[in-house]
Amino acid sequence: MNIRRALQEDLAVVFELEKKCFNDPYPIELLTMLQSLYPELFLVAEHDGRVVGYVSGLIRTDGSGHIVSLCVDPEYRRKGIGRQLMIEIEDLMKKLFNVCIYRLEVRVSNSIAIQLYESIGYRIQARMSRYYSNGEDAYLMIKDACLIR
Ligand SMILES: CC(C)(COP(=O)(O)OP(=O)(O)OC[C@H]1O[C@@H](n2cnc3c(N)ncnc32)[C@H](O)[C@@H]1OP(=O)(O)O)[C@@H](O)C(=O)NCCC(=O)NCCS
């Protein structure tokens, strides 16, 4: 498995993956905007030349790193790809943008993702009421790595 920056040419495949991962996928226009805004923070995981996962993020005005989306092809789950993508994007945020606080939102029902995030140091900070379009709440999760820089 290899993790690399996504190219514009990857976005159609990323969008197909996004649809496999989420009932309310981000539109391809949003994926394109994210990739052009922070190309160094839009990564794909490749297995045998095939894109099987992606992660994207941005830097907020307060200097924290925001993980916007994480998705692994259902056929390739539970092999450590999601965790590896998270580690890689955090490292890049730290190296390139001096980030030490990371944040993300996750559906309160998404216990698999919550377990992954907790296993790498994220903690639930707040519950955001009706955050998603179907009315579901989100947890805001934060990882504060400032003391271990
Ligand atoms: C969440 C997701 C990205 C995890 O990707 P993955 O490659 O399967 O994750 P990993 O193999 O790196 O697993 C890392 C940890 O997550 C947790 N985890 C992953 N799959 C799990 C499962 N089926 N049951 C319980 N815990 C699970 C475990 O803590 C695991 O660590 P371990 O294998 O050492 O026990 C993937 O399930 C996915 O794409 N889901 C749909 C999209 C989504 O929910 N994205 C996050 C939105 S905020």
Side-chain angles (χ1 to χ4, degrees):
M1 202 260 302
N2 169 46
I3 294 180
R4 61 166 174 82
R5 260 190 210 190
L7 306 170
Q8 237 174 335
E9 304 89 272
D10 294 313
L11 292 178
V13 177
V14 168
F15 181 51
E16 290 311 306
L17 210 52
E18 172 78 9
K19 287 189 278 189
K20 283 193 197 175
C21 280
F22 299 103
N23 292 328
D24 55 346
Y26 285 144
I28 191 151
E29 292 78 10
L30 182 67
L31 298 174
T32 304
M33 194 193 76
L34 285 166
Q35 194 267 339
S36 63
L37 209 55
Y38 284 100
E40 53 284 85
L41 301 179
F42 201 120
L43 309 175
V44 291
E46 259 182 342
H47 183 83
D48 288 343
R50 185 177 153 204
V51 172
V52 296
Y54 92 95
V55 65
S56 76
L58 50 80
I59 308 299
R60 296 169 65 93
T61 49
D62 63 4
S64 63
H66 192 160
I67 316 300
V68 177
S69 191
L70 171 71
C71 154
V72 173
D73 189 320
E75 283 174 44
Y76 288 84
R77 287 187 189 159
R78 211 68 205 262
K79 297 177 188 300
I81 297 174
R83 180 179 282 131
Q84 204 48 50
L85 283 165
M86 287 295 294
I87 290 170
E88 198 75 30
I89 196 170
E90 286 178 5
D91 279 356
L92 285 165
M93 285 177 166
K94 180 175 162 190
K95 255 185 248 157
L96 303 175
F97 300 99
N98 211 24
V99 164
C100 66
I101 295 192
Y102 307 89
R103 62 173 277 160
L104 55 84
E105 293 89 24
V106 59
R107 286 178 184 274
V108 295
S109 64
N110 195 347
S111 51
I112 290 178
I114 292 168
Q115 260 189 277
L116 161 58
Y117 299 141
E118 286 184 333
S119 79
I120 55 170
Y122 287 78
R123 297 292 172 256
I124 293 171
Q125 181 90 5
R127 185 170 178 137
M128 297 149 91
S129 180
R130 303 185 63 80
Y131 183 82
Y132 295 100
S133 54
N134 71 343
E136 187 171 352
D137 293 357
Y139 285 132
L140 167 65
M141 297 190 78
I142 302 272
K143 175 173 177 173
D144 182 346
C146 299
L147 288 178
I148 53 170
R149 270 215 279 196

